[in-house]
Amino acid sequence: MALFADLEHEDFELIHKPILEISKFSGETLYNQGEEGQYLYTIRSGVVKLTQYLPDGGQRIVRLLRQGDIVGLETLVSPVYEHFATVLRDAELCQIPRDVVERLNKETPRLHSQLLSRWHVAVQRADEWLTELSTGSSKSRVARLVIGLSDKNDQTCHLFSREDLGAILGVTTETTSRIIAEFKRDGALKDKGKNHFWADLERLETIANQNN
Amino acid sequence: MALFADLEHEDFELIHKPILEISKFSGETLYNQGEEGQYLYTIRSGVVKLTQYLPDGGQRIVRLLRQGDIVGLETLVSPVYEHFATVLRDAELCQIPRDVVERLNKETPRLHSQLLSRWHVAVQRADEWLTELSTGSSKSRVARLVIGLSDKNDQTCHLFSREDLGAILGVTTETTSRIIAEFKRDGALKDKGKNHFWADLERLETIANQNN
DNA sequence: AGCGGGCATTGCGAAATATCAATTTGATCT
DNA sequence: AGATCAAATTGATATTTCGCAATGCCCGCT
């Protein structure tokens, strides 16, 4: 498990509570905003979204987490979870009691740098999200998102529901749908069924970088 | 200095390099994105903005930092600065060599929790920025920004140039200007000169939470 | 007080996006 | 295959935001 990569044999003896492996299906919830944070999770496979709500009912997906990422890192610093964590694509997770990490963090220095760099990555991603997915025309933003979701090796890409994509980008479901449909008509995306596409990354890159 | 609040007397003997106090005027730069990160800064007074650029030339202010905040935290984890840091309102800063913090972090545990919580705050702010300032109509977003910049005690508020406000919100300068001018006409803001306003926080709150 | 220069504001037409209401498509179940 | 249901797409129209140019205003300078 990546979070514990630097730990050594003796460190693990400090773990007195069980670390469970759990499976969650798409749509299931890991935790809700405001709940007392008991666990953090590392993702072995699948995708988890973190959502925040506004008083006016508006919602925004603020991050996507995937293999190797940690869900609920904030429990180490804050008493409650700060987002809604929902599974977007069937996931295998390790559920780690918060005090296990706290204890390890206190008693061994080997976790410190891991934790710092996890936080760093979270900030980096948040900043990227802001500059890439919340700046520019919705067409550019959709293009950037698709690129970000693409597997660069085989030029392939799994998308999510138009509603979720919209909540990631801060635009409506319909706008997202129209743009993706347009990409399909233009050949920038080729539908392979089940929200699985072949992506013309070069063309998408062009669209991402033009400001109109 | 808040970052070192938990340190004790002996810890400071680990500091072998000088910590400078520096003043910067509005418009001056602390560092550029991609530069090797030598220093981090704590803010004693004033405001600093962190900006990121897109390949297409788009720009976005991703964070505002003020008294007590740390600028350039990422140098502890990454070799280069990840933003452009520019002074937005005349500032007094403490310039701390990066290896001072690294050394302290290695040799005393008293800095660890400070650093973790600093990162945590950075992520929280980034998420707020996204949900509050990048979601909803531009009118709501301007309202939320003004509220965020207000002093809740005296219902007063210093704004920045319309251009900067626009870069914070991801809208054009003109749109920002129009909305603020409208707030002034409606009495939600009352001009006191020099971008200093009296703010009707209740009314702004209402505008912030209506989705149209 | 008068002069400049940089912002801020405003007007107007164009473009982008939202909104609401159909259709169409696609996957699943029987 | 047919039925069914949810999601995606499309159409038509309303609103919002942009983009550009013109104008106005504030502030510091002399």
Side-chain angles (χ1 to χ4, degrees):
Chain A
M1 190 189 316
L3 178 60
F4 292 162
D6 301 337
L7 296 189
E8 299 185 359
H9 223 60
E10 74 229 54
D11 299 329
F12 286 103
E13 291 169 15
L14 293 168
I15 300 178
H16 291 142
K17 281 207 192 174
I19 295 180
L20 291 184
E21 293 210 15
I22 61 179
S23 300
K24 293 268 187 185
F25 292 109
S26 181
E28 291 190 273
T29 292
L30 286 181
Y31 54 74
N32 295 307
Q33 186 167 24
E35 268 180 25
E36 191 197 356
Q38 301 279 22
Y39 301 103
L40 38 117
Y41 303 82
T42 63
I43 303 182
R44 303 175 73 83
S45 70
V47 180
V48 173
K49 68 174 172 181
L50 299 184
T51 312
Q52 273 186 343
Y53 286 84
L54 286 168
D56 72 340
Q59 96 180 63
R60 191 78 193 255
I61 297 176
V62 298
R63 225 160 304 137
L64 291 182
L65 301 171
R66 13 176 93 257
Q67 188 168 40
D69 291 331
I70 297 177
V71 193
L73 197 53
E74 68 261 34
T75 52
L76 298 177
V77 191
S78 151
V80 297
Y81 291 120
E82 289 165 357
H83 313 88
F84 293 87
T86 314
V87 174
L88 255 192
R89 196 174 293 146
D90 296 356
E92 307 282 328
L93 306 148
C94 286
Q95 183 190 54
I96 311 170
R98 159 187 131 154
D99 41 340
V100 164
V101 181
E102 268 173 1
R103 181 191 202 105
L104 281 168
N105 189 34
K106 259 193 210 95
E107 323 226 343
T108 169
R110 281 181 277 280
L111 204 53
H112 294 324
S113 69
Q114 269 292 335
L115 287 177
L116 284 186
S117 97
R118 294 301 176 144
W119 278 112
H120 175 233
V121 170
V123 175
Q124 266 187 324
R125 296 255 191 92
D127 290 345
E128 262 178 49
W129 204 272
L130 205 55
T131 41
E132 294 183 8
L133 303 182
S134 309
T135 308
S137 73
S138 45
K139 199 161 147 184
S140 301
R141 286 162 41 205
V142 173
R144 292 191 201 112
L145 177 53
V146 172
I147 292 171
L149 293 175
S150 293
D151 181 328
K152 273 69 182 177
N153 300 316
D154 58 0
Q155 305 248 320
T156 231
C157 149
H158 284 283
L159 296 184
F160 305 108
S161 78
R162 303 298 172 266
E163 190 180 353
D164 281 326
L165 296 178
I168 290 172
L169 298 168
V171 298
T172 59
T173 307
E174 293 94 327
T175 299
T176 314
S177 176
R178 274 183 243 272
I179 294 171
I180 288 178
E182 185 189 335
F183 285 173
K184 287 197 279 187
R185 278 189 296 269
D186 295 353
L189 286 177
K190 213 165 272 172
D191 202 326
K192 306 173 76 165
K194 291 246 188 195
N195 263 330
H196 191 240
F197 295 85
W198 175 86
D200 182 339
L201 294 178
E202 281 192 35
R203 193 184 312 209
L204 289 169
E205 202 75 62
T206 307
I207 296 169
N209 293 329
Q210 69 196 174
N211 52 350
N212 63 44
Chain B
M1 188 190 318
L3 178 60
F4 292 163
D6 301 336
L7 295 190
E8 299 185 1
H9 222 62
E10 75 228 53
D11 298 330
F12 286 102
E13 292 169 16
L14 293 168
I15 300 178
H16 292 142
K17 282 207 191 173
I19 295 180
L20 291 183
E21 292 209 16
I22 61 179
S23 300
K24 293 270 186 183
F25 293 109
S26 182
E28 291 191 273
T29 291
L30 287 181
Y31 55 73
N32 295 307
Q33 185 168 24
E35 268 180 25
E36 191 198 356
Q38 301 278 23
Y39 302 102
L40 37 119
Y41 304 82
T42 64
I43 304 182
R44 304 175 73 83
S45 69
V47 181
V48 173
K49 67 174 173 181
L50 299 184
T51 311
Q52 272 187 345
Y53 287 84
L54 284 168
D56 71 340
Q59 98 180 65
R60 191 77 193 257
I61 297 176
V62 298
R63 223 161 305 137
L64 291 182
L65 301 171
R66 10 174 98 256
Q67 188 167 40
D69 291 330
I70 297 178
V71 194
L73 197 53
E74 69 263 33
T75 53
L76 298 177
V77 192
S78 151
V80 298
Y81 292 120
E82 290 165 357
H83 312 88
F84 293 88
T86 314
V87 175
L88 211 43
R89 195 175 293 147
D90 296 357
E92 307 282 327
L93 305 149
C94 285
Q95 185 190 54
I96 310 169
R98 159 187 130 155
D99 40 341
V100 164
V101 181
E102 267 172 1
R103 182 191 199 100
L104 281 168
N105 190 33
K106 257 193 210 99
E107 322 226 342
T108 168
R110 283 181 276 279
L111 204 54
H112 294 150
S113 69
Q114 270 290 338
L115 287 177
L116 283 187
S117 96
R118 294 300 176 145
W119 278 113
H120 175 233
V121 171
V123 174
Q124 266 186 324
R125 296 253 192 92
D127 290 345
E128 263 177 50
W129 203 271
L130 204 56
T131 41
E132 293 184 10
L133 303 182
S134 310
T135 307
S137 73
S138 45
K139 198 163 151 185
S140 301
R141 298 189 353 229
V142 173
R144 292 190 201 114
L145 177 54
V146 172
I147 293 172
L149 292 175
S150 294
D151 181 329
K152 272 69 182 178
N153 300 315
D154 58 0
Q155 305 247 324
T156 230
C157 149
H158 285 283
L159 295 184
F160 305 107
S161 77
R162 304 297 171 266
E163 190 181 351
D164 281 327
L165 297 178
I168 289 172
L169 297 169
V171 299
T172 58
T173 306
E174 294 94 327
T175 299
T176 313
S177 176
R178 274 183 247 268
I179 293 170
I180 289 177
E182 186 189 334
F183 286 172
K184 287 197 277 187
R185 278 189 296 270
D186 295 353
L189 286 177
K190 212 166 273 172
D191 202 325
K192 306 172 78 166
K194 293 244 188 198
N195 262 330
H196 191 240
F197 296 86
W198 175 86
D200 182 341
L201 294 178
E202 282 193 35
R203 194 185 311 210
L204 289 170
E205 201 75 62
T206 307
I207 296 168
N209 292 329
Q210 69 196 175
N211 53 349
N212 62 46

